[in-house]
Amino acid sequence: MVKKVSVIGAGNVGATAAQRLAEKELCDVVLVDIVEGVPQGKALDLAEAAPIEKHDAHLVGANAYEATAGSDVVIITAGIPRKPGMSRDDLLNTNAGIMKSVTEQVAKYSPDACLIIVSNPLDAMCHVAHEVSGFPKNRVMGMAGVLDSARFRAFISMELSVSVENIHACVLGGHGDTMVPLPRYSTVAGIPITELLPPERIEELVKRTRNGGAEIVSLLKTGSAYYAPASAAVEMAESILKDKKKILPCAVLLEGEYGIKGLFIGVPVKLGKNGVEEILEIALTNEEDEALKKSAAAVQSLVDVLKKK
Ligand code: APR
């Protein structure tokens, strides 16, 4: 393949992303993990599926970063899940440490890559990756809005029995309870859902979207969602690799847009070969703007915890 993507963290999200990248024949894939044998084993397993799936992407697994050299895009999923007895701040600091060590290596071997951050807490991890890599802000972005809006789209499709292909949705803000789904900008074949559904049904779908991650966790019992998160990260990577210039909601560093400064937060952006090529500022009602500011405050409080360290 002409393009190369490294996926750091060969767990559920990372391995599924590697599979989707290869099967869409978008690029060669390097899978990296700290656990010996796991990235090698999963890469080999995926390579052995290639003759059946009919793709010629090369897949390699590694524990060191030499193999990632010259990647066009790096998807970072490395991290640990919250363990019993662990506070949110403990998790934040542990994953920030992992993000720091991973980003140092990634930046060393792929100084021109675009970084797609997936590890949680997402918006705070983007800050770490941006600071540690020293990359310009257009090459560091977080995967949250694509997943959150895909969940919203899936719920709208289930509600109206309409093809998911007809549905667009827009979700702004941080990746958490304070995310801001925007029904006015969510459409079915171009028709805003506010014209198709009563407000109380929309509110139910909005609530389910906000709770989307937790709903999966409570069903799986161990572990969190990974099929849709992997699909979302790969959609972002594809838009960059093919210079498609798709408009997707991503966590990016705002510097005054939406009245927010110095924070990574989810807004619609254009993704092309240069990464984040444009930040789109859409008009918000007072209520929507307030919800976005509240979400920004929640992200800020996590970033403040990191700064205290
Ligand atoms: N370097 C490389 N890999 C690491 C490191 C490290 N320093 N620390 C942990 N890992 C690896 C783990 O060994 C594991 O294989 O990261 C992988 C994480 O995989 P899972 O535990 O299966 O987690 P997953 O479901 O893939 O989620 C990854 O994405 O959606 C978010 O909240 C989720 O932060 C989590 C991340």
Side-chain angles (χ1 to χ4, degrees), residues 31-85:
L31 202 47
V32 176
D33 201 281
I34 199 163
V35 181
E36 273 176 38
V38 166
Q40 292 87 348
K42 292 193 179 182
L44 181 59
D45 197 4
L46 285 168
E48 289 167 358
I52 304 167
E53 297 300 335
K54 303 183 183 64
H55 66 77
D56 286 299
H58 292 110
L59 291 129
V60 182
N63 299 114
Y65 285 77
E66 283 83 355
T68 67
S71 295
D72 297 284
V73 172
V74 180
I75 300 175
I76 304 181
T77 75
I80 60 151
R82 192 155 151 187
K83 300 202 174 107

Side-chain angles (χ1 to χ4, degrees), residues 8-14 32-35 65 77-81 95 98 101-102 118-120 224-226 229:
I8 317 300
N12 283 335
V13 178
V32 176
D33 201 281
I34 199 163
V35 181
Y65 285 77
T77 75
I80 60 151
N95 278 349
I98 293 173
S101 67
V102 164
V118 179
S119 314
N120 275 316
S224 48
Y226 54 99

